[in-house]
Structures are given as C-alpha cells and as structure tokens.
Amino acid sequence: MCASESSAQTASPTAGPDSLLHRLSAHYDSSFAWLVSTVDSADERLSVLLDLARFKNQHVAWAVERDGRIYALAAARARAWLVAVAPGDRAIGLMGSIMERDDGASVPAVRIKPEF
C-alpha cells in the first residue's frame, strides 16, 4: 500500500462505487456516534468507550482500497485509517472476515468489506 498521513489521494465522492463507500462510512460513523451519545459520561466503566470515540474523531479517517492502494474519502491528516475495500476489488476475496487489520499497509489500517 502506498498511502501516508499526508499523501493519501482523495477519492471522488460521487463516482460509482465511491458513492456506496461514502454511504458506508456515513452509516458506520452515525451508528457509532449514536452509541456514544447514549453513554452516561459519569459512568467510569464506560470511559474507555468515550476515549475511543475521542481518538476516532481526532485521529482516524476513512479511505477506500483499490488495486492495493489507499485513497482518502476526504482530505485528512489521520494517524490511522478505516479502509473500505471497493466492491469487486480482488482484496475482498482475500479477506477472512468483514473487518480485519491490514498488516501490509504502510499506515495503521483496518480493512472493511462493504456489505449492506
């Protein structure tokens, strides 16, 4: 993979499969935000979830993988990436689960198989 914090190219938000990937990222983000909004911030047992949400909002960005390369879905200087594998990409056949770490990436990344 050839992405870095400052050099990830940006994917088009309206082109074919990218539209699906933008909807996927919006769905995951809104679902996670809803979950976090239900947490009682005074409950110490759930503070780790609030810390995770804060880290995600500040340091994790969405990208798409096509032909072994990562493309940012929006301009970002992220420390880590959630990478949706484009429908039909050969990487989908190599994935063992719907989400997995991408140890071959040059940046910290988690691949997500876009299945609705």
Side-chain angles (χ1 to χ4, degrees):
M1 304 246 175
C2 302
S4 69
E5 291 178 14
S6 59
S7 68
Q9 295 177 333
T10 304
S12 167
T14 57
D18 286 347
S19 175
L20 168 68
L21 300 175
H22 279 275
R23 289 196 330 264
L24 173 80
S25 64
H27 175 72
Y28 273 74
D29 285 342
S30 64
S31 297
F32 188 68
W34 173 83
L35 174 67
V36 171
S37 74
T38 66
V39 171
D40 178 2
S41 59
D43 188 340
E44 290 181 22
R45 298 171 300 167
L46 298 175
S47 65
V48 71
L49 179 60
L50 298 174
D51 291 342
L52 178 62
R54 197 169 11 265
F55 176 81
K56 180 188 169 297
N57 290 335
Q58 294 174 359
H59 303 293
V60 180
W62 279 94
V64 61
E65 178 181 347
R66 275 194 223 97
D67 300 322
R69 296 181 64 95
I70 293 175
Y71 298 88
L73 287 182
R77 292 186 50 88
R79 291 173 53 186
W81 296 87
L82 292 170
V83 182
V85 180
D89 192 275
R90 61 183 170 81
I92 285 181
L94 303 174
M95 294 180 66
S97 64
I98 209 163
M99 277 183 120
E100 61 184 33
R101 247 184 13 250
D102 186 352
D103 294 327
S106 59
V107 294
V110 172
R111 278 183 174 154
I112 297 174
K113 192 184 298 187
E115 294 184 357
F116 279 100

